[in-house]
Each structure stands twice: as structure tokens, then as C-alpha cells.
Amino acid sequence: MAVSSTKTVYEIFQSMEYGPAATSSSATAQAWLEHHSRSLGLFIDGKFVCSADGRSCSSADSKGSIVCSTACAEEADISQCASSAVNGFKSWSSLSCNQRAKVLLRLVSVLGQHGQCLSELCELCEASCSTAALLRLLQFYSSWAQLRDTLLTDWTPLGVVAVVTSKDCPLYSLLLKVLPALAMGKTHADVCNPFGSYLRFLQCPNFFRTGATAGMGVPVSVSPCVGSTCPFIIFESADINSAVDEVMEAAFRKKKEVFWVLCVQESVVDSVVAHLRLRMAKMRCVTLPSEADRKRVDAAVQEAQQLGATLVQSCADPTSGAQYPPTVLCGVAPSSPCVLDPCPGPLLPLITFRSNTEAVTLGNHSPHGQAASIWTEDLTLALETAKSLSVGSVWVNSHSVCDPCLPVSGHKDSGTCTDGGQEGLYQFLRPSSSSPPLPRSSPVSMDYAQFGTETSPPLIPAESDPARSPQSHLQFVAGKACKSVSGCSVAVQPPGGSGGVLAYCPDGGRKDVRNAVEAAVKVQPGWMKKSASARAQSLYSLAKGLEAKRRDIAAAINTQTGLSVDEAEKEVELSVTRLSVWAAYCDKVQGGPMPNSGSALSVPEALGVVGVVLPDYNPLLSMVTVLGATIATGNAVVMVPSQKYPLPVLAFIKVLQSSDLPAGLVNVITGSRDQLTVALANHSVIKAIWYWGSAEGCQYLQHTCTSPLKTLRLCGDREGKDGELDWTRCHPSFLEEMWRSAVQWKSVWIPTA
């Protein structure tokens, strides 16, 4: 009788050796590829078509074997795709919500039938794809397609959306952008669309940073889903075994979407390293994409060792070939290149920390803010840490959990939009009551370095006859009325530009913006931590102060804009009401729904410091609307009043001085609009800019505000009723859009066993 060579379960667990690799059959995928002659064209108008010039490129699997060829599009193909999308939008948007929902539900059925083929195709190109997750995504957005006219009656779709992706973008991330657009009644094109009304960048930050879309009149957002650096924090109260198992699975997978940095509390670092050595024993080398990547990994490891890092490796380092063993770089500094700019490969930097505060500091050290994983059995510590981390998703005792019912929002350089949940739908909608989006245009030929440098010469108010000389106003910085740093002023002309000088305003510049931002940064964290009811009381107090000075401010509006006294008083009254509405908003908006398993929190957070360049139209009402939206959500604000009509806002400074708002929370700087726009755009601390101004200013901001990434809200400043936003309206969808522009979302996952 032959002796069986099969090992027992006990022997397998003692040796922890790899078993024989399962031979995965890809017959279904191969048959589908053969059906298409292993040549895939462009999918336009519901069918595969060849590119205009017939060019194609080959796609290979992990072993270098050619899987198929794919068409390479050129400008003519993009135009054809765009025209098809425009025609499709007319048909798709004309369907009822129930009809669109049925179409998406049919996709659920089709995906269930062909899920095996899709999984095999993803396996061929080494792209992680869960059919169950895609089915859940389709089901979620088919239900939102059904509910659009019920729960989103005051919103209308933008039109055609274009999504630009990189080759590393996961299929799930792509569909997380495409499906909500379809559910809201829009069509989609996966290329840069010259007819599109909305442009999305998925893991294309370098293309976005070039400002390639500046001046095109297309709203743009960016959402890097691959390549971010994320902290994996292990506290001394964590289950070390579980934490090490999960960090091994996350950090050393063959194709990972993010780079993890392991942060371990000093009191348990020896235990964590010991568990890592045990788990990493006899792990196989990871195959890298190319020899060049192997050289980059070698250089990164050598540099880390020179800076004092020690290595924990699973096996000996092969002397040649595009392979490298899983490696932990112990004792690296937060400023080490392997932490700030990680290279692709199985490397895991390990940083130690002492206190909980230091852990948060390390977690926020990265320029990215995509996600973080926290490991502790102390729920209070976990929630406090999650609240302090500037990331979009926080996983407690888990990692890489996702569900379409909760929003995914990138913080800092990890994006400017929100995907998932109900919150992710609004990027494809606009309030029905608002003005139409900016018209499509061609970029203006301009010298970005010279923008904002041409200013009118400053004037000093005459003092020969103080009784008759125009009044000199002050700007508002750090809770105090003050002159500009330069000490110069500019003249404010009466309506029509004739009849002398009405007043003199400070000629603010870059140093004034610097001082205002410094004051705002100091006060904003404390203001954000205040309860919603406390912020509401401050806004009610501000409204009461405005009402007490309504006569003076109405007189300023009348003098500055030429409106009648009755119209000026009506604008003041509407401004008082608008501040009261924002006060009521403070504690009324809650987070998103709970996922199917475990518990989760979805909460809106303040952006930080917001720069605002105000419009000319309704100078007081527009100012209090924007002011209320920003500070009601916990932000600090630096405002640049209308260069044409600054006096109503300067008169409002007296209301700010008598309010109980913290000093530095609201700052008002007057001067050249273009010059101050340049100063706001180039300040690294400002997180978002809301701009009402010229087409050149919009183009400059799109070109400049890419590093670090800033959220932009760009509007034309077209005075009059045609196409101009009606600030006198207080429609719920209009205020909700303003509120959503002032927040970013954070999801905290607490899974159950």
C-alpha cells in the first residue's frame, strides 16, 4: 500500500508553507475574447467600433503574454463619442425615473449572468474585482434612480459627464462615478469630452495639475483612488495578532491601491515586530512590473538604511530579476522619502509614536487624506482619533471596507469631490432655481505670471479739509478694524463713475491675506469644535446686530449702488433673514445611513479656511449668504468685497465688531480683485476658494489651485437678470447647494464580528 503524502491540518499550520496553486480556469473569458477576435475597439453608440486611424495597443497579463489589443482613440473618436453622448442624454433624460431604474436593474441581472466572465477578465489583467460589490453598487443606484423625482425634486441633472481614468483605476471606483450620473439622468463618456458639462478625474493628478482644462468653462473635480499614502495606526490597546494579520494582507498584496505607513505605539513595537517576523517567515517574493521598478525599490531601501532604518524581510533578496521580498522598514522618520514618496513594491515603513496626540500628528503628516486604519479596543480612543484625522474614511479594527450607502470624500490632495451615498449624487446635479452653469468657452491666451500684477495706482485720502473729505474705511483682520499693510488706499467712485470720490478703502495685498489666513487658522479648529447650537446662537446674534444697524447699511447700499432707499432696505431685511436661516441650518443636517453590517458614522466636516471673492450684484445679501454658509459649517473665511461696490460690506464691519464671533473667524480685505485672487490662490493653507469674477480669473484659479489641491466654486459675475444668480431667492435647494460646497465628508467604519 502506497504511503500518502497528504499533510494533516496540524502539520500545515506548523509549517505555514504554501499549498499547491489552484489552477484557475479562464475558459469563459478566453471564449469572450476569441468571440471578439482578441481585438477590442471603442464602445460608442452601443457597439464596438474601430478608431479613426486604426491604431491599437496590446494588453498583456502578468506573465507578459498578449491577451488582446485595444483601440487607441484620437480627437475624431472623442468628438464622435461626445456627439453620441449628447444624443443619448436627450433619450435617457426623457425617460421616467421608473424606466431608468428598470434599465439599471436589468444590468444587475446581466451582471449576475456574466459575473464569472467579468471576474476572469479582471484576473487576467490582475485587477481586483468583486462581483458581489458591483451588484450591490448597481442595486443601490437603481433605487436612487427610482427616487430621484421623489426626494430630489428641486434638482436638475447637469448633462453629459466625462470621466478620465488611469490604467490602474479599479472597475469599482470607475462605476462609483458612472452609475450615480446615470441614476440622475445623465449620460457618460469615459474620455475628456469637448461637449461635456462636467469633468471627473480618477487617479489622473498629473494631468489635472497641468491646468489642461483651465478656461474651458467645465466644472472639474479630481478623485485620486490609487497611490495615496495612508496611516495604519496600532495603539497599545489593540489586538496585536489581528492587527498584524490585517496589515500584512493590506501592505503586501500583489496589486495594492494605496501605500500604507505602519504607525505603532512605542510600548508595543517589539511585540508588533516579533509578530511581523513570524507572519513573514517563508513568504514568497512579490513580482514587480519591471526591472526599473526593482531598481527603484533597491534605491529606496538603501536610502532608508542610510537614514537609520532596519529591515525585516521574509526571505533573501534575489540578486536579479523583477522580484523583491516583502520588507518592513523599521525606525524610519516621518520625513523619510520612503514615507513621503513611496515607490511601488512590497515595502512597509514602520514609525513609532508615544502619545495619542503624536499618533494623530503622524496620521495627518501625509499630503494625502484618503483613508486611515485604527486598531484599538478602546472605542472612545478610536472615535477621538477618527475625528482628529484629516481623511475621508476611517476604518476601526478593519481596513478597505466600502459600501455605496456611505460617502467617500477625499481630503487634502486626495480629491475635491464626494462619491457614494446620497451626498455623492449632488456633484451631478444643480438646483433648478439656480443660474445655468458657465457657458462653454475656449481658454483665453494669458500670462499667468502677470495676472493680478496690473493695479491702479493707490490714492491717499486728502486731509486739507477733513470736514469735506471722503470717509476713509478700514478692513477687518483678526477681529480688528485696521489699515492695509501698505498703508495705501484706493478711491471708491459713485454709481456711473462720475461725481467725485465717495470714500477711500484700504489697498490690501499679499501680506494682508497672509495676516488674515494666520488669524483664521488659529481660530478655525476651536470654532469647528463648538456645538452646532453654539454656532447657531452666534449667527442669530450676528443677524440681530445687522438689524440694529439696518439704517446705516441701507444708506451705504443706496449711496454705493444707486438703488432706491426702499430697495436698499429690502436687501438689508433679506440679509437679516438669510443669516437667521443659516443659524437654523447649523444643527439640522445629519450624517448618512448605516451600512448593512456593523456600525458606521457619516459626518460632515468643515473644509478649514475658505477664501471668497464676492460678486458685484447684491453686495450685502451675497456677502451674508456666503458668510453664513461658511461659518455655519465650522469654517473660517477671508472675504474680498466687490471692487466696484465695497462700502456695504465695509459698513457691515461694525456689525462684526459688536458680535460674539471669535477674532479672526471672519476677515475682510479690500483692494484689487485680481491681485487678492492671486494671493488667495497661492496660499497653501486655504482649502477652498469661491470666486465671482472674470473669465480670466476663473481660468487663473483652475490653472493655479492644483498643488496643493483646492476646492473651487467658480461663478461668472454677470450683473443683471439674464443668467445671473438671483440672491434674493431663499430656495431650499439653493441653500443646500451652498451648504454642501462648504463641507467635506468623513465615514467611520466600526464593523462587528
Side-chain angles (χ1 to χ4, degrees), residues 425-454:
L425 301 175
Y426 292 97
Q427 60 188 311
F428 304 113
L429 301 169
R430 63 178 179 87
S432 302
S433 60
S434 68
S435 60
L438 291 174
R440 289 304 312 271
S441 60
S442 299
V444 179
S445 178
M446 58 182 294
D447 186 351
Y448 294 105
Q450 296 299 317
F451 180 79
T453 59
E454 297 178 1

PDB file of all heavy atoms in Angstrom, residues 425-454:
ATOM      1  N   LEU A 425     -24.443  62.153  -4.998  1.00  0.00           N
ATOM      2  CA  LEU A 425     -25.305  62.439  -6.146  1.00  0.00           C
ATOM      3  C   LEU A 425     -25.274  63.904  -6.544  1.00  0.00           C
ATOM      4  O   LEU A 425     -25.481  64.240  -7.719  1.00  0.00           O
ATOM      5  CB  LEU A 425     -26.748  62.039  -5.822  1.00  0.00           C
ATOM      6  CG  LEU A 425     -26.995  60.576  -5.447  1.00  0.00           C
ATOM      7  CD1 LEU A 425     -28.453  60.389  -5.043  1.00  0.00           C
ATOM      8  CD2 LEU A 425     -26.641  59.654  -6.595  1.00  0.00           C
ATOM      9  N   TYR A 426     -25.007  64.791  -5.580  1.00  0.00           N
ATOM     10  CA  TYR A 426     -25.175  66.223  -5.833  1.00  0.00           C
ATOM     11  C   TYR A 426     -24.100  66.792  -6.762  1.00  0.00           C
ATOM     12  O   TYR A 426     -24.292  67.871  -7.310  1.00  0.00           O
ATOM     13  CB  TYR A 426     -25.181  66.981  -4.507  1.00  0.00           C
ATOM     14  CG  TYR A 426     -26.401  66.685  -3.673  1.00  0.00           C
ATOM     15  CD1 TYR A 426     -26.361  65.739  -2.671  1.00  0.00           C
ATOM     16  CD2 TYR A 426     -27.601  67.332  -3.913  1.00  0.00           C
ATOM     17  CE1 TYR A 426     -27.484  65.437  -1.907  1.00  0.00           C
ATOM     18  CE2 TYR A 426     -28.735  67.048  -3.172  1.00  0.00           C
ATOM     19  CZ  TYR A 426     -28.664  66.100  -2.164  1.00  0.00           C
ATOM     20  OH  TYR A 426     -29.784  65.807  -1.427  1.00  0.00           O
ATOM     21  N   GLN A 427     -22.983  66.073  -6.953  1.00  0.00           N
ATOM     22  CA  GLN A 427     -21.973  66.582  -7.875  1.00  0.00           C
ATOM     23  C   GLN A 427     -22.461  66.518  -9.321  1.00  0.00           C
ATOM     24  O   GLN A 427     -21.893  67.171 -10.195  1.00  0.00           O
ATOM     25  CB  GLN A 427     -20.689  65.779  -7.715  1.00  0.00           C
ATOM     26  CG  GLN A 427     -20.864  64.288  -8.001  1.00  0.00           C
ATOM     27  CD  GLN A 427     -19.642  63.483  -7.646  1.00  0.00           C
ATOM     28  OE1 GLN A 427     -18.542  63.854  -8.040  1.00  0.00           O
ATOM     29  NE2 GLN A 427     -19.816  62.401  -6.910  1.00  0.00           N
ATOM     30  N   PHE A 428     -23.512  65.737  -9.575  1.00  0.00           N
ATOM     31  CA  PHE A 428     -24.069  65.628 -10.926  1.00  0.00           C
ATOM     32  C   PHE A 428     -25.365  66.409 -11.071  1.00  0.00           C
ATOM     33  O   PHE A 428     -26.061  66.273 -12.083  1.00  0.00           O
ATOM     34  CB  PHE A 428     -24.317  64.164 -11.263  1.00  0.00           C
ATOM     35  CG  PHE A 428     -23.103  63.297 -11.124  1.00  0.00           C
ATOM     36  CD1 PHE A 428     -23.031  62.318 -10.154  1.00  0.00           C
ATOM     37  CD2 PHE A 428     -22.016  63.475 -11.956  1.00  0.00           C
ATOM     38  CE1 PHE A 428     -21.907  61.524 -10.017  1.00  0.00           C
ATOM     39  CE2 PHE A 428     -20.881  62.694 -11.836  1.00  0.00           C
ATOM     40  CZ  PHE A 428     -20.830  61.710 -10.862  1.00  0.00           C
ATOM     41  N   LEU A 429     -25.710  67.201 -10.076  1.00  0.00           N
ATOM     42  CA  LEU A 429     -26.959  67.951 -10.086  1.00  0.00           C
ATOM     43  C   LEU A 429     -26.688  69.414  -9.800  1.00  0.00           C
ATOM     44  O   LEU A 429     -25.642  69.777  -9.271  1.00  0.00           O
ATOM     45  CB  LEU A 429     -27.924  67.403  -9.022  1.00  0.00           C
ATOM     46  CG  LEU A 429     -28.335  65.935  -9.132  1.00  0.00           C
ATOM     47  CD1 LEU A 429     -29.059  65.500  -7.862  1.00  0.00           C
ATOM     48  CD2 LEU A 429     -29.221  65.711 -10.356  1.00  0.00           C
ATOM     49  N   ARG A 430     -27.638  70.246 -10.150  1.00  0.00           N
ATOM     50  CA  ARG A 430     -27.611  71.645  -9.757  1.00  0.00           C
ATOM     51  C   ARG A 430     -29.025  72.056  -9.377  1.00  0.00           C
ATOM     52  O   ARG A 430     -30.002  71.493  -9.894  1.00  0.00           O
ATOM     53  CB  ARG A 430     -27.080  72.547 -10.872  1.00  0.00           C
ATOM     54  CG  ARG A 430     -27.924  72.575 -12.132  1.00  0.00           C
ATOM     55  CD  ARG A 430     -27.343  73.529 -13.170  1.00  0.00           C
ATOM     56  NE  ARG A 430     -28.136  73.548 -14.395  1.00  0.00           N
ATOM     57  CZ  ARG A 430     -29.193  74.332 -14.584  1.00  0.00           C
ATOM     58  NH1 ARG A 430     -29.578  75.162 -13.626  1.00  0.00           N
ATOM     59  NH2 ARG A 430     -29.872  74.301 -15.712  1.00  0.00           N
ATOM     60  N   PRO A 431     -29.175  73.005  -8.462  1.00  0.00           N
ATOM     61  CA  PRO A 431     -30.522  73.433  -8.086  1.00  0.00           C
ATOM     62  C   PRO A 431     -31.291  73.960  -9.288  1.00  0.00           C
ATOM     63  O   PRO A 431     -30.759  74.708 -10.107  1.00  0.00           O
ATOM     64  CB  PRO A 431     -30.264  74.544  -7.052  1.00  0.00           C
ATOM     65  CG  PRO A 431     -28.893  74.273  -6.534  1.00  0.00           C
ATOM     66  CD  PRO A 431     -28.131  73.689  -7.678  1.00  0.00           C
ATOM     67  N   SER A 432     -32.547  73.578  -9.382  1.00  0.00           N
ATOM     68  CA  SER A 432     -33.368  74.037 -10.504  1.00  0.00           C
ATOM     69  C   SER A 432     -33.552  75.540 -10.480  1.00  0.00           C
ATOM     70  O   SER A 432     -33.765  76.169 -11.528  1.00  0.00           O
ATOM     71  CB  SER A 432     -34.737  73.341 -10.459  1.00  0.00           C
ATOM     72  OG  SER A 432     -34.590  71.939 -10.499  1.00  0.00           O
ATOM     73  N   SER A 433     -33.440  76.138  -9.289  1.00  0.00           N
ATOM     74  CA  SER A 433     -33.660  77.576  -9.161  1.00  0.00           C
ATOM     75  C   SER A 433     -32.417  78.402  -9.426  1.00  0.00           C
ATOM     76  O   SER A 433     -32.483  79.631  -9.493  1.00  0.00           O
ATOM     77  CB  SER A 433     -34.163  77.896  -7.751  1.00  0.00           C
ATOM     78  OG  SER A 433     -33.206  77.494  -6.780  1.00  0.00           O
ATOM     79  N   SER A 434     -31.248  77.749  -9.561  1.00  0.00           N
ATOM     80  CA  SER A 434     -30.008  78.499  -9.726  1.00  0.00           C
ATOM     81  C   SER A 434     -29.803  78.884 -11.176  1.00  0.00           C
ATOM     82  O   SER A 434     -30.492  78.405 -12.081  1.00  0.00           O
ATOM     83  CB  SER A 434     -28.814  77.676  -9.233  1.00  0.00           C
ATOM     84  OG  SER A 434     -28.600  76.566 -10.089  1.00  0.00           O
ATOM     85  N   SER A 435     -28.814  79.747 -11.376  1.00  0.00           N
ATOM     86  CA  SER A 435     -28.483  80.165 -12.736  1.00  0.00           C
ATOM     87  C   SER A 435     -27.839  79.010 -13.482  1.00  0.00           C
ATOM     88  O   SER A 435     -27.284  78.096 -12.882  1.00  0.00           O
ATOM     89  CB  SER A 435     -27.518  81.353 -12.697  1.00  0.00           C
ATOM     90  OG  SER A 435     -26.332  80.986 -12.022  1.00  0.00           O
ATOM     91  N   PRO A 436     -27.899  78.997 -14.812  1.00  0.00           N
ATOM     92  CA  PRO A 436     -27.276  77.932 -15.582  1.00  0.00           C
ATOM     93  C   PRO A 436     -25.765  77.932 -15.385  1.00  0.00           C
ATOM     94  O   PRO A 436     -25.176  78.945 -14.998  1.00  0.00           O
ATOM     95  CB  PRO A 436     -27.656  78.268 -17.031  1.00  0.00           C
ATOM     96  CG  PRO A 436     -27.963  79.731 -17.031  1.00  0.00           C
ATOM     97  CD  PRO A 436     -28.536  80.013 -15.674  1.00  0.00           C
ATOM     98  N   PRO A 437     -25.107  76.779 -15.616  1.00  0.00           N
ATOM     99  CA  PRO A 437     -23.656  76.727 -15.444  1.00  0.00           C
ATOM    100  C   PRO A 437     -22.935  77.634 -16.420  1.00  0.00           C
ATOM    101  O   PRO A 437     -23.515  78.146 -17.375  1.00  0.00           O
ATOM    102  CB  PRO A 437     -23.330  75.243 -15.705  1.00  0.00           C
ATOM    103  CG  PRO A 437     -24.472  74.737 -16.534  1.00  0.00           C
ATOM    104  CD  PRO A 437     -25.679  75.512 -16.082  1.00  0.00           C
ATOM    105  N   LEU A 438     -21.659  77.842 -16.153  1.00  0.00           N
ATOM    106  CA  LEU A 438     -20.856  78.689 -17.025  1.00  0.00           C
ATOM    107  C   LEU A 438     -20.896  78.165 -18.457  1.00  0.00           C
ATOM    108  O   LEU A 438     -20.834  76.961 -18.692  1.00  0.00           O
ATOM    109  CB  LEU A 438     -19.406  78.718 -16.537  1.00  0.00           C
ATOM    110  CG  LEU A 438     -19.128  79.442 -15.222  1.00  0.00           C
ATOM    111  CD1 LEU A 438     -17.671  79.251 -14.830  1.00  0.00           C
ATOM    112  CD2 LEU A 438     -19.460  80.921 -15.330  1.00  0.00           C
ATOM    113  N   PRO A 439     -21.000  79.045 -19.445  1.00  0.00           N
ATOM    114  CA  PRO A 439     -21.040  78.589 -20.832  1.00  0.00           C
ATOM    115  C   PRO A 439     -19.691  78.017 -21.246  1.00  0.00           C
ATOM    116  O   PRO A 439     -18.641  78.395 -20.721  1.00  0.00           O
ATOM    117  CB  PRO A 439     -21.368  79.874 -21.607  1.00  0.00           C
ATOM    118  CG  PRO A 439     -20.862  80.986 -20.738  1.00  0.00           C
ATOM    119  CD  PRO A 439     -21.068  80.518 -19.325  1.00  0.00           C
ATOM    120  N   ARG A 440     -19.750  77.065 -22.185  1.00  0.00           N
ATOM    121  CA  ARG A 440     -18.522  76.510 -22.731  1.00  0.00           C
ATOM    122  C   ARG A 440     -17.749  77.604 -23.442  1.00  0.00           C
ATOM    123  O   ARG A 440     -18.312  78.474 -24.101  1.00  0.00           O
ATOM    124  CB  ARG A 440     -18.832  75.374 -23.702  1.00  0.00           C
ATOM    125  CG  ARG A 440     -19.344  74.124 -23.043  1.00  0.00           C
ATOM    126  CD  ARG A 440     -18.393  73.606 -21.974  1.00  0.00           C
ATOM    127  NE  ARG A 440     -17.026  73.554 -22.466  1.00  0.00           N
ATOM    128  CZ  ARG A 440     -16.505  72.503 -23.082  1.00  0.00           C
ATOM    129  NH1 ARG A 440     -17.238  71.442 -23.282  1.00  0.00           N
ATOM    130  NH2 ARG A 440     -15.268  72.530 -23.492  1.00  0.00           N
ATOM    131  N   SER A 441     -16.436  77.589 -23.284  1.00  0.00           N
ATOM    132  CA  SER A 441     -15.606  78.623 -23.885  1.00  0.00           C
ATOM    133  C   SER A 441     -14.236  78.047 -24.188  1.00  0.00           C
ATOM    134  O   SER A 441     -13.888  76.957 -23.744  1.00  0.00           O
ATOM    135  CB  SER A 441     -15.481  79.821 -22.933  1.00  0.00           C
ATOM    136  OG  SER A 441     -14.894  79.425 -21.704  1.00  0.00           O
ATOM    137  N   SER A 442     -13.477  78.783 -24.944  1.00  0.00           N
ATOM    138  CA  SER A 442     -12.097  78.412 -25.220  1.00  0.00           C
ATOM    139  C   SER A 442     -11.186  79.163 -24.264  1.00  0.00           C
ATOM    140  O   SER A 442     -11.467  80.306 -23.885  1.00  0.00           O
ATOM    141  CB  SER A 442     -11.724  78.757 -26.667  1.00  0.00           C
ATOM    142  OG  SER A 442     -12.553  78.052 -27.570  1.00  0.00           O
ATOM    143  N   PRO A 443     -10.088  78.543 -23.822  1.00  0.00           N
ATOM    144  CA  PRO A 443      -9.186  79.223 -22.899  1.00  0.00           C
ATOM    145  C   PRO A 443      -8.665  80.529 -23.479  1.00  0.00           C
ATOM    146  O   PRO A 443      -8.385  80.642 -24.674  1.00  0.00           O
ATOM    147  CB  PRO A 443      -8.046  78.202 -22.710  1.00  0.00           C
ATOM    148  CG  PRO A 443      -8.652  76.886 -23.054  1.00  0.00           C
ATOM    149  CD  PRO A 443      -9.666  77.165 -24.108  1.00  0.00           C
ATOM    150  N   VAL A 444      -8.561  81.522 -22.618  1.00  0.00           N
ATOM    151  CA  VAL A 444      -8.028  82.821 -23.013  1.00  0.00           C
ATOM    152  C   VAL A 444      -6.506  82.756 -23.006  1.00  0.00           C
ATOM    153  O   VAL A 444      -5.901  82.166 -22.110  1.00  0.00           O
ATOM    154  CB  VAL A 444      -8.521  83.919 -22.052  1.00  0.00           C
ATOM    155  CG1 VAL A 444      -7.948  85.274 -22.444  1.00  0.00           C
ATOM    156  CG2 VAL A 444     -10.043  83.968 -22.047  1.00  0.00           C
ATOM    157  N   SER A 445      -5.882  83.340 -24.011  1.00  0.00           N
ATOM    158  CA  SER A 445      -4.426  83.413 -24.026  1.00  0.00           C
ATOM    159  C   SER A 445      -3.980  84.444 -22.992  1.00  0.00           C
ATOM    160  O   SER A 445      -4.265  85.638 -23.126  1.00  0.00           O
ATOM    161  CB  SER A 445      -3.926  83.807 -25.422  1.00  0.00           C
ATOM    162  OG  SER A 445      -2.529  83.927 -25.435  1.00  0.00           O
ATOM    163  N   MET A 446      -3.328  83.977 -21.935  1.00  0.00           N
ATOM    164  CA  MET A 446      -2.949  84.892 -20.867  1.00  0.00           C
ATOM    165  C   MET A 446      -1.645  84.444 -20.239  1.00  0.00           C
ATOM    166  O   MET A 446      -1.282  83.267 -20.263  1.00  0.00           O
ATOM    167  CB  MET A 446      -4.043  84.964 -19.794  1.00  0.00           C
ATOM    168  CG  MET A 446      -4.393  83.639 -19.152  1.00  0.00           C
ATOM    169  SD  MET A 446      -5.732  83.765 -17.926  1.00  0.00           S
ATOM    170  CE  MET A 446      -4.970  84.764 -16.669  1.00  0.00           C
ATOM    171  N   ASP A 447      -0.934  85.406 -19.686  1.00  0.00           N
ATOM    172  CA  ASP A 447       0.308  85.156 -18.968  1.00  0.00           C
ATOM    173  C   ASP A 447      -0.039  85.010 -17.486  1.00  0.00           C
ATOM    174  O   ASP A 447      -0.336  85.983 -16.803  1.00  0.00           O
ATOM    175  CB  ASP A 447       1.288  86.311 -19.180  1.00  0.00           C
ATOM    176  CG  ASP A 447       2.658  86.039 -18.559  1.00  0.00           C
ATOM    177  OD1 ASP A 447       2.790  85.031 -17.830  1.00  0.00           O
ATOM    178  OD2 ASP A 447       3.579  86.837 -18.784  1.00  0.00           O
ATOM    179  N   TYR A 448      -0.021  83.769 -16.994  1.00  0.00           N
ATOM    180  CA  TYR A 448      -0.440  83.528 -15.612  1.00  0.00           C
ATOM    181  C   TYR A 448       0.476  84.233 -14.613  1.00  0.00           C
ATOM    182  O   TYR A 448       0.030  84.625 -13.534  1.00  0.00           O
ATOM    183  CB  TYR A 448      -0.460  82.028 -15.330  1.00  0.00           C
ATOM    184  CG  TYR A 448      -1.509  81.276 -16.130  1.00  0.00           C
ATOM    185  CD1 TYR A 448      -1.152  80.481 -17.215  1.00  0.00           C
ATOM    186  CD2 TYR A 448      -2.853  81.373 -15.812  1.00  0.00           C
ATOM    187  CE1 TYR A 448      -2.101  79.795 -17.955  1.00  0.00           C
ATOM    188  CE2 TYR A 448      -3.818  80.691 -16.543  1.00  0.00           C
ATOM    189  CZ  TYR A 448      -3.433  79.903 -17.606  1.00  0.00           C
ATOM    190  OH  TYR A 448      -4.378  79.236 -18.340  1.00  0.00           O
ATOM    191  N   ALA A 449       1.728  84.391 -14.973  1.00  0.00           N
ATOM    192  CA  ALA A 449       2.664  85.047 -14.058  1.00  0.00           C
ATOM    193  C   ALA A 449       2.351  86.529 -13.898  1.00  0.00           C
ATOM    194  O   ALA A 449       2.707  87.143 -12.880  1.00  0.00           O
ATOM    195  CB  ALA A 449       4.099  84.856 -14.547  1.00  0.00           C
ATOM    196  N   GLN A 450       1.683  87.139 -14.901  1.00  0.00           N
ATOM    197  CA  GLN A 450       1.390  88.562 -14.847  1.00  0.00           C
ATOM    198  C   GLN A 450      -0.018  88.865 -14.337  1.00  0.00           C
ATOM    199  O   GLN A 450      -0.353  90.019 -14.109  1.00  0.00           O
ATOM    200  CB  GLN A 450       1.563  89.179 -16.251  1.00  0.00           C
ATOM    201  CG  GLN A 450       2.993  89.123 -16.768  1.00  0.00           C
ATOM    202  CD  GLN A 450       3.948  89.887 -15.871  1.00  0.00           C
ATOM    203  OE1 GLN A 450       3.651  90.996 -15.420  1.00  0.00           O
ATOM    204  NE2 GLN A 450       5.111  89.292 -15.608  1.00  0.00           N
ATOM    205  N   PHE A 451      -0.844  87.815 -14.167  1.00  0.00           N
ATOM    206  CA  PHE A 451      -2.213  88.050 -13.725  1.00  0.00           C
ATOM    207  C   PHE A 451      -2.215  88.655 -12.321  1.00  0.00           C
ATOM    208  O   PHE A 451      -1.560  88.157 -11.407  1.00  0.00           O
ATOM    209  CB  PHE A 451      -3.002  86.739 -13.722  1.00  0.00           C
ATOM    210  CG  PHE A 451      -4.431  86.903 -13.270  1.00  0.00           C
ATOM    211  CD1 PHE A 451      -5.392  87.395 -14.131  1.00  0.00           C
ATOM    212  CD2 PHE A 451      -4.810  86.569 -11.979  1.00  0.00           C
ATOM    213  CE1 PHE A 451      -6.706  87.547 -13.724  1.00  0.00           C
ATOM    214  CE2 PHE A 451      -6.113  86.716 -11.559  1.00  0.00           C
ATOM    215  CZ  PHE A 451      -7.073  87.208 -12.432  1.00  0.00           C
ATOM    216  N   GLY A 452      -2.954  89.717 -12.138  1.00  0.00           N
ATOM    217  CA  GLY A 452      -3.075  90.353 -10.832  1.00  0.00           C
ATOM    218  C   GLY A 452      -1.970  91.327 -10.500  1.00  0.00           C
ATOM    219  O   GLY A 452      -1.954  91.889  -9.395  1.00  0.00           O
ATOM    220  N   THR A 453      -1.028  91.532 -11.417  1.00  0.00           N
ATOM    221  CA  THR A 453       0.077  92.455 -11.126  1.00  0.00           C
ATOM    222  C   THR A 453      -0.222  93.863 -11.603  1.00  0.00           C
ATOM    223  O   THR A 453       0.421  94.814 -11.152  1.00  0.00           O
ATOM    224  CB  THR A 453       1.374  91.971 -11.793  1.00  0.00           C
ATOM    225  OG1 THR A 453       1.174  91.887 -13.211  1.00  0.00           O
ATOM    226  CG2 THR A 453       1.765  90.603 -11.257  1.00  0.00           C
ATOM    227  N   GLU A 454      -1.190  94.001 -12.518  1.00  0.00           N
ATOM    228  CA  GLU A 454      -1.514  95.330 -13.031  1.00  0.00           C
ATOM    229  C   GLU A 454      -2.616  95.932 -12.164  1.00  0.00           C
ATOM    230  O   GLU A 454      -3.766  95.501 -12.206  1.00  0.00           O
ATOM    231  CB  GLU A 454      -1.978  95.241 -14.487  1.00  0.00           C
ATOM    232  CG  GLU A 454      -0.901  94.705 -15.426  1.00  0.00           C
ATOM    233  CD  GLU A 454      -1.396  94.589 -16.843  1.00  0.00           C
ATOM    234  OE1 GLU A 454      -2.574  94.957 -17.073  1.00  0.00           O
ATOM    235  OE2 GLU A 454      -0.643  94.143 -17.705  1.00  0.00           O
TER     236      GLU A 454
END
